[in-house]
Amino acid sequence: MTERIAHSLFLITLVTGFTFSCQRQKEQSPLPDQVQPVDLVYPQLDAANSRWFFLNSASRPFGMVNLSPDTQKGGTWGSGYRYDTDTVKGFSHIHAWQLSGVEVIPVAFSKDDLEEVFTDHSSAFDHSREEVRPGYHSLMLDRYGIGVALTSTTRVGFHQYTFNGTGKAGVLFNLDDQLGPSEIIKGTVRRTSDREIEGSLVNAPTIRRPREFQVFFNVHFNHDIDTLLVPSDTASNKVIVVFRPLNNEPLLMKVALSYTSPKQAGRNMTAELPHWDFDQTVEESYTHWNDLLSRIRIEGGTQKAQRRFYTDLWHALQGRRIISDADGHYPDYTGEERQIRQVPLDHEGKPRFNHYNSDSFWGAQWTLNTLWHLVYPEIAEEFVNSLLLYYQDGGLIPRGPSGGNYTFVMTGASSTPFIVSAWQKGVQGYDINTAYAGLRKNHMPKGMMGKAGYEHNSAKGGGLEHYLEKGYVPYPIPEGDFGYHQDGASLTLEYAYQDWTLAQLAKALGKNEDHEYFLKRSENYKNQFDTTSGWIRPRDVDGLWKEPFDPFRYEQGFNESNGAQSMWFVPHDLEGLARLMGGNHKAVERLNTFFEEAQKLNFTAGTSHDRERHPEYTRIPINYGNQPSIQTAFVFNHLGRPDLTQYWSRQVTDKAFGGLSPHTGYNGDEDQGLMGALAVLLKIGLFQMNGGTEQNPKYELGSPIFDKISISLNKKYYPGEVFEIEVDNNGDEHFYIEKAEINGETLNNFFIDHQTIVNGGRLRLKMSRNPQK
């Protein structure tokens, strides 16, 4: 083990010792200078409540490989690494949105127990002998006496096995199981040399991904293969690769993936991992993660708060996974037949960008838009190019692609704010005319907006035709059921906001007629407001308001929310919404009451997404465990009460995003970085209500929890080097901004434009116990 890795392990042990105190520490001692941001990450945060793609350990940022233990199998929810389950069933290389596969486990066996190993190869393990950190995972398989250590490059999983027991040494490849969302079928393995095998498998269709998806792998070992064994039960598609005597030496295994061919998997290995130095790969992963996490440096706050911050930031940089090979080949499933295509190459013959798998951008306007576009603009630009590649291949810009095809996850045209925000902030390394054409198409009939959740073969469930004709989406939609999330009031609000964002891009591009057209459509949210009851309210195809109407009843016209939570989903015109409510004062009073009620449940509907339907939690008026109401603390900024934004955003930060244990963390649906990004923004006190989609977008202030925040700016995109936030007189009850200065000049409101921030400089805040109304 290299000196740096050993030193890193010492620091992690040092920091972990004081992490799990439930009380906020009054003394804020600085961390040792040698502790790096990556040392502070706690990967097992919320792991007791996690879903298939949640835990990330032996992976790189956005890596095709996301290698980690599976303690539970089954569907998308309640599977993968579940902290409270003490048995490892295998180690899978793919934990992605609607994708899984290449599960392996080292085994030690005799002739007498071989069939038993094929039938049940799981092993108990103990967390006391487990180590998890970014880019690395190790544990002991008690059943076999095998020590397992895992790391990876972007496309290659790297395993190190130490066999401490008796029996023959082997590695079992499981090619016919239910892994997360996918049934694994059609698995094949063949031996290609004394130390190499290759194979493939298929992810069977799911309700969200309606097409089969192929995975290819190429595997190299550092010891000679003796034989390949298969079970006597020919219906079971498993293979054990058995090795000649290891002579007490570790067995190393490299598993390269590709979604295009076995040959390409081999090329990925050659490109990324030509050597056998396991410790070097761990160290390179450590450096890769640390370089990205170090873009934001923090000082002050408790050690627990610092650990949680970098864990949140780490979550914001993964989940949406690369699907293209190192040389840019990628699978395209958008047509009738699978095609292998090529990402455009630069003048050196290298891919201009990676192509991605992704969950929905539903809620990204309040999370990834702000964090990625400011701190990681090169990542945002890659994602825009990837979305446009789907448009080139399949005719639509996706909102949640899986493995080179559309899944139509969630609703609306959620990619629109993401792309518009990038353009407005100067992240512009793509053809904007192509982008605008694709976005405009999505907002019209036969585009993305007309499809409800997972509506693959029709475009009726989204009710877009009704929206265009009547100015709202009816509930229920009279055409019938076509997909999930056909809750009309939510759809109207979402479409109106997304129309507003497209209007901003049309304006920036000089498309004045389109600007006026989409701006007019953005007012449709008003058609969903019932002036008699004072609520955003579902109405049927004849215009009649839903009766009976209970605004606190879950999913009765509102997607993954109730009427109280979705009430404030008008991020482009909160002043107009307040006028409908009777003015700013009444709107503020109402929202403040919602927060006071939600505080009783720590602002979330339970500790996990599946708890939202529990009778105790469905009626919460603000839920920071799911996307529809995560902007609400910042609504006060737009209604003349920034002090309430500062107060409530700090309360949410502490109660909903302050925990640091396997049993708490995001209290709901951490959709591949969305909630991690939100938590980061809350803690540094920067937010964008409309997703940063207007010209020279504005950032608004919350209540930072650290004494100093330094954001390194990417010089390729922005003229400044560092933007600093200095917070004087910060403390547990010092929620309020008494005075704000930007580059030495008094800031008379709580908004800063994008250009000021990316030019670099310093924002200085003086905090107080007393609100400044």
Side-chain angles (χ1 to χ4, degrees):
M1 184 171 290
T2 65
E3 180 179 350
R4 175 183 289 183
I5 295 169
H7 179 61
S8 172
L9 294 182
F10 167 76
L11 293 174
I12 290 172
T13 302
L14 172 70
V15 174
T16 303
F18 50 63
T19 296
F20 297 104
S21 170
C22 293
Q23 295 181 324
R24 290 179 63 88
Q25 299 180 30
K26 300 302 180 183
E27 297 297 326
Q28 297 183 0
S29 57
L31 292 165
D33 291 339
Q34 63 267 41
V35 174
Q36 296 296 317
V38 70
D39 298 324
L40 302 178
V41 174
Y42 178 60
Q44 288 157 305
L45 178 75
D46 218 4
N49 303 309
S50 62
R51 60 197 287 194
W52 175 251
F53 55 58
F54 179 82
L55 181 93
N56 299 269
S57 51
S59 64
R60 297 289 182 97
F62 308 103
M64 178 182 289
V65 166
N66 183 22
L67 177 58
S68 59
D70 296 328
T71 64
Q72 293 276 35
K73 295 184 181 179
T76 300
W77 296 94
S79 62
Y81 181 92
R82 302 279 287 190
Y83 185 85
D84 289 338
T85 303
D86 62 0
T87 303
V88 172
K89 296 177 172 59
F91 301 93
S92 293
H93 290 76
I94 303 170
H95 295 85
W97 165 241
Q98 292 304 298
L99 296 179
S100 57
V102 194
E103 182 193 50
V104 303
I105 188 168
V107 295
F109 63 94
S110 66
K111 180 179 179 181
D112 294 335
D113 62 9
L114 175 61
E115 289 302 319
E116 180 183 348
V117 169
F118 275 121
T119 303
D120 177 13
H121 45 268
S122 60
S123 171
F125 77 109
D126 193 316
H127 290 303
S128 67
R129 293 193 288 176
E130 179 183 35
E131 185 180 340
V132 191
R133 63 184 190 273
Y136 181 82
H137 201 136
S138 69
L139 52 78
M140 175 65 68
L141 297 177
D142 294 338
R143 172 179 176 180
Y144 305 111
I146 301 174
V148 176
L150 311 171
T151 189
S152 72
T153 66
T154 298
R155 298 172 178 84
V156 186
F158 201 176
H159 305 240
Q160 179 176 267
Y161 302 141
T162 304
F163 289 79
N164 301 308
T166 59
K168 288 182 176 287
V171 179
L172 185 148
F173 284 73
N174 186 12
L175 302 174
D176 67 346
D177 211 340
Q178 180 77 31
L179 299 179
S182 303
E183 181 187 0
I184 303 303
I185 59 174
K186 302 179 183 179
T188 65
V189 170
R190 72 183 187 94
R191 181 173 173 175
T192 56
S193 76
D194 287 344
R195 295 190 175 191
E196 299 178 13
I197 64 172
E198 68 178 23
S200 66
L201 56 85
V202 170
N203 280 235
T206 72
I207 193 170
R208 295 169 175 82
R209 175 182 45 75
R211 300 273 297 276
E212 290 187 347
F213 182 78
Q214 291 182 282
V215 176
F216 303 93
F217 54 93
N218 183 278
V219 184
H220 292 189
F221 304 98
N222 71 331
H223 284 276
D224 288 344
I225 299 169
D226 183 26
T227 187
L228 271 61
L229 299 177
V230 297
S232 58
D233 177 7
T234 57
S236 178
N237 195 1
K238 298 176 176 63
V239 176
I240 296 179
V241 181
V242 185
F243 297 90
R244 295 173 185 171
L246 301 178
N247 298 320
N248 296 319
E249 295 180 2
L251 174 65
L252 297 177
M253 177 175 73
K254 300 188 290 188
V255 181
L257 301 184
S258 171
Y259 298 149
T260 58
S261 73
K263 181 181 289 187
Q264 283 296 114
R267 289 173 177 170
N268 288 340
M269 187 182 298
T270 300
E272 294 185 0
L273 193 58
H275 61 79
W276 287 96
D277 192 329
F278 186 86
D279 288 349
Q280 177 184 330
T281 307
V282 174
E283 185 171 1
E284 289 169 351
S285 187
Y286 174 98
T287 301
H288 191 172
W289 277 114
N290 197 55
D291 287 347
L292 287 181
L293 295 172
S294 296
R295 297 268 185 99
I296 305 180
R297 290 279 186 171
I298 55 173
E299 298 178 19
T302 66
Q303 291 93 344
K304 177 182 175 182
Q306 292 195 357
R307 287 213 75 190
R308 176 60 198 263
F309 176 82
Y310 282 113
T311 304
D312 291 330
L313 186 57
W314 177 69
H315 268 280
L317 294 171
Q318 58 196 331
R320 297 156 191 271
R321 308 230 160 251
I322 291 168
I323 65 167
S324 53
D325 293 323
D327 64 5
H329 285 86
Y330 69 92
D332 170 23
Y333 285 82
T334 60
E336 291 298 319
E337 299 292 333
R338 172 179 177 267
Q339 301 287 329
I340 304 303
R341 302 192 187 277
Q342 173 70 56
V343 172
L345 304 177
D346 62 17
H347 65 280
E348 295 179 349
K350 297 179 180 179
R352 287 185 49 237
F353 52 87
N354 289 307
H355 200 28
Y356 290 91
N357 194 78
S358 178
D359 201 343
S360 173
F361 288 87
W362 197 67
Q365 69 270 11
W366 298 317
T367 55
L368 301 181
N369 279 25
T370 302
L371 181 64
W372 284 5
H373 297 21
L374 175 62
V375 186
Y376 307 100
E378 75 282 10
I379 291 173
E381 187 171 89
E382 279 211 341
F383 271 82
V384 173
N385 275 297
S386 179
L387 293 170
L388 296 184
L389 204 56
Y390 283 100
Y391 175 54
Q392 172 185 306
D393 294 339
L396 291 174
I397 295 176
R399 63 185 181 220
S402 178
N405 203 351
Y406 305 107
T407 67
F408 307 110
V409 54
M410 298 312 299
T411 53
S414 57
S415 299
T416 298
F418 184 85
I419 294 175
V420 174
S421 178
W423 182 261
Q424 299 283 40
K425 293 171 182 173
V427 181
Q428 300 179 348
Y430 45 88
D431 185 343
I432 190 57
N433 292 315
T434 298
Y436 183 80
L439 296 177
R440 191 183 193 283
K441 181 178 180 180
N442 270 356
H443 285 241
M444 304 302 285
K446 299 183 180 181
M448 191 63 66
M449 190 173 272
K451 290 177 176 283
Y454 318 117
E455 186 182 356
H456 304 292
N457 300 314
S458 59
K460 295 291 186 181
L464 183 61
E465 287 81 0
H466 295 288
Y467 175 81
L468 298 179
E469 177 188 349
K470 302 175 184 299
Y472 69 95
V473 179
Y475 177 79
I477 292 176
E479 287 81 1
D481 294 331
F482 294 90
Y484 298 117
H485 311 306
Q486 295 184 216
D487 290 279
S490 279
L491 295 177
T492 300
L493 299 178
E494 186 175 0
Y495 299 171
Y497 160 65
Q498 291 164 356
D499 282 341
W500 187 87
T501 66
L502 187 56
Q504 305 314 299
L505 182 58
K507 180 180 180 180
L509 299 178
K511 300 179 183 296
N512 297 329
E513 187 174 335
D514 274 8
H515 170 248
E516 293 299 324
Y517 170 69
F518 288 110
L519 197 63
K520 181 64 177 176
R521 277 175 45 168
S522 76
E523 297 180 5
N524 281 345
Y525 78 89
K526 299 174 182 177
N527 299 324
Q528 211 73 66
F529 189 88
D530 174 20
T531 56
T532 301
S533 67
W535 287 94
I536 296 287
R537 187 171 176 180
R539 60 198 307 186
D540 67 16
V541 70
D542 297 319
L544 299 176
W545 300 110
K546 184 183 185 309
E547 292 287 359
F549 174 58
D550 178 354
F552 296 95
R553 189 174 177 189
Y554 190 73
E555 289 192 331
Q556 292 294 302
F558 301 96
N559 289 326
E560 296 192 6
S561 61
N562 59 38
Q565 293 166 20
S566 288
M567 181 83 175
W568 310 94
F569 199 118
V570 189
H572 60 295
D573 190 18
L574 287 167
E575 294 82 358
L577 176 65
R579 285 193 294 272
L580 293 175
M581 293 182 178
N584 284 11
H585 177 75
K586 289 186 177 180
V588 166
E589 187 177 62
R590 192 171 187 179
L591 182 56
N592 196 59
T593 301
F594 282 11
F595 269 96
E596 290 173 343
E597 186 65 24
Q599 189 173 30
K600 298 173 184 177
L601 292 173
N602 293 328
F603 310 104
T604 62
T607 56
S608 62
H609 190 36
D610 59 357
R611 301 284 285 169
E612 289 179 5
R613 297 178 184 275
H614 188 281
E616 181 182 359
Y617 303 129
T618 59
R619 302 183 69 81
I620 190 171
I622 301 290
N623 177 19
Y624 268 85
N626 206 341
Q627 284 88 333
S629 57
I630 57 176
Q631 86 290 10
T632 43
F634 287 84
V635 169
F636 296 108
N637 269 346
H638 299 262
L639 303 180
R641 290 298 303 274
D643 58 306
L644 291 177
T645 284
Q646 294 153 26
Y647 178 78
W648 287 117
S649 66
R650 185 73 77 94
Q651 301 307 308
V652 168
T653 300
D654 185 48
K655 300 298 183 184
F657 300 113
L660 193 69
S661 84
H663 298 93
T664 187
Y666 297 107
N667 303 288
D669 198 4
E670 210 297 287
D671 275 331
Q672 300 187 78
L674 289 182
M675 293 306 194
L678 173 66
V680 167
L681 297 174
L682 289 170
K683 292 167 186 180
I684 66 175
L686 293 178
F687 194 76
Q688 292 186 306
M689 179 59 68
N690 67 40
T693 54
E694 80 274 36
Q695 186 175 8
N696 194 12
K698 288 182 171 56
Y699 298 78
E700 55 189 282
L701 303 184
S703 182
I705 69 171
F706 301 109
D707 297 340
K708 186 175 181 180
I709 300 134
S710 300
I711 301 173
S712 297
L713 301 169
N714 188 326
K715 292 287 289 182
K716 179 181 176 182
Y717 296 86
Y718 299 136
E721 299 211 2
V722 179
F723 181 74
E724 293 181 343
I725 303 172
E726 290 187 354
V727 186
D728 299 333
N729 197 33
N730 208 348
D732 285 351
E733 297 182 2
H734 293 200
F735 314 126
Y736 304 106
I737 299 174
E738 180 181 312
K739 184 179 180 181
E741 292 180 349
I742 183 74
N743 297 326
E745 297 185 3
T746 298
L747 188 65
N748 294 318
N749 55 41
F750 294 94
F751 297 86
I752 307 172
D753 65 73
H754 177 71
Q755 197 58 51
T756 297
I757 287 181
V758 299
N759 282 339
R762 178 178 292 116
L763 170 67
R764 190 163 187 173
L765 305 176
K766 182 179 179 182
M767 308 303 289
S768 172
R769 289 174 179 266
N770 302 312
Q772 310 294 309
K773 297 183 180 180

